[in-house]
Amino acid sequence: MMLLLLLCLLFCTTSHGAPVKLGDKALSVELSDDSRLSSLNVDGRELLSAGQTAGLSVYDVGERRGPFPLKGRVERTQAGATLNYNCAELGLGVTCDVRSGQRHTIAMNIAVDDQRKVDRGITLEFALPLGNKGWTWWDDPDAGRPVEPGKQYASLARLRELPGLPEFDNAANVSDFGSYSWYPVAAVTGKKGIGLAKPPRAAGLFRFGFDGSRGVFYCAFDF
């Protein structure tokens, strides 16, 4: 399964050593040696919640297992970097090729390998833990809502009458499995502004949202 995601921030990495800090005074990030994003600094302000890291996690929807935060290794490439993860708990291998784009963006091309080779439902989430105070979620370019603790923010449409979908609990992102975002972009503003985008040419079910319970700005893929 090939997934594409565009982050409205810029980072690169190397294949060895301690966490790497990159960027400039306007934007700098730090990627730990296990391929987790440990710092996001914009204009001198750290945006990630204290003690938390950003990155990919996976859920098994049918088994209701997860989330399992993905940790792995980094390999430098000519175009940028490749992040390699192995989730033994769910029998999944994940590869993320990253390359810098224009205007402080980075493209992420994500491939998920089902090592069990069985039919099942998986959700892959890219999450930025920003906290749940001081942010505004934008439903569209003209309508914003202040983020409140415990509330969910997303602009979704629901797929109907899909065969074989199980009933879901209220675990993060699992209850919305099978829904998809109206727009291929999402943004939050407040302390600073940040956005996520999915290239329209890339097929797949995806959801953008802000989880006020976890204080997380996310993009989730269902497959």
Side-chain angles (χ1 to χ4, degrees):
M1 180 69 180
M2 300 297 293
L3 310 169
L4 293 175
L5 179 63
L6 188 66
L7 264 66
C8 299
L9 52 90
L10 175 64
F11 68 88
C12 302
T13 184
T14 58
S15 57
H16 302 288
V20 178
K21 186 176 182 179
L22 300 164
D24 52 29
K25 292 183 179 180
L27 173 65
S28 64
V29 298
E30 193 170 272
L31 192 66
S32 63
D33 56 4
D34 63 358
S35 301
R36 302 292 294 180
L37 187 66
S38 58
S39 175
L40 169 59
N41 191 288
V42 177
D43 289 335
R45 180 188 289 271
E46 177 60 47
L47 297 189
L48 296 186
S49 299
Q52 296 192 48
T53 59
L56 295 168
S57 300
V58 289
Y59 306 76
D60 188 302
V61 178
E63 295 181 2
R64 299 185 180 183
R65 297 185 62 200
F68 293 103
L70 294 179
K71 298 180 180 180
R73 67 183 190 278
V74 184
E75 296 179 359
R76 190 171 185 176
T77 65
Q78 185 175 1
T82 298
L83 314 180
N84 295 286
Y85 308 94
N86 182 58
C87 181
E89 295 89 346
L90 297 181
L92 295 171
V94 180
T95 301
C96 179
D97 293 319
V98 296
R99 65 183 187 277
S100 59
Q102 298 179 348
R103 300 181 181 180
H104 302 297
T105 64
I106 184 167
M108 304 173 63
N109 192 343
I110 307 168
V112 180
D113 177 33
D114 178 14
Q115 298 166 347
R116 295 182 185 173
K117 310 301 181 185
V118 297
D119 290 333
R120 52 180 170 156
I122 296 292
T123 293
L124 175 75
E125 179 190 75
F126 180 82
L128 297 173
L130 305 180
N132 52 25
K133 295 182 180 180
W135 294 103
T136 296
W137 161 265
W138 291 90
D139 289 297
D140 59 43
D142 300 314
R145 291 181 286 163
V147 169
E148 298 181 23
K151 293 188 177 181
Q152 301 290 329
Y153 300 84
S155 301
L156 302 177
R158 181 71 181 170
L159 293 179
R160 300 293 183 183
E161 299 178 358
L162 287 182
L165 288 181
E167 296 298 325
F168 307 122
D169 53 27
N170 292 322
N173 271 319
V174 176
S175 59
D176 285 330
F177 186 89
S179 297
Y180 63 94
S181 288
W182 279 104
Y183 301 106
V185 296
V188 292
T189 58
K191 304 169 185 178
K192 298 294 175 182
I194 191 168
L196 297 170
K198 177 184 175 297
R201 67 182 179 276
L205 289 177
F206 64 96
R207 299 188 306 278
F208 292 122
F210 198 103
D211 184 344
S213 298
R214 296 181 294 154
V216 164
F217 183 36
Y218 66 85
C219 179
F221 293 92
D222 297 332
F223 51 92

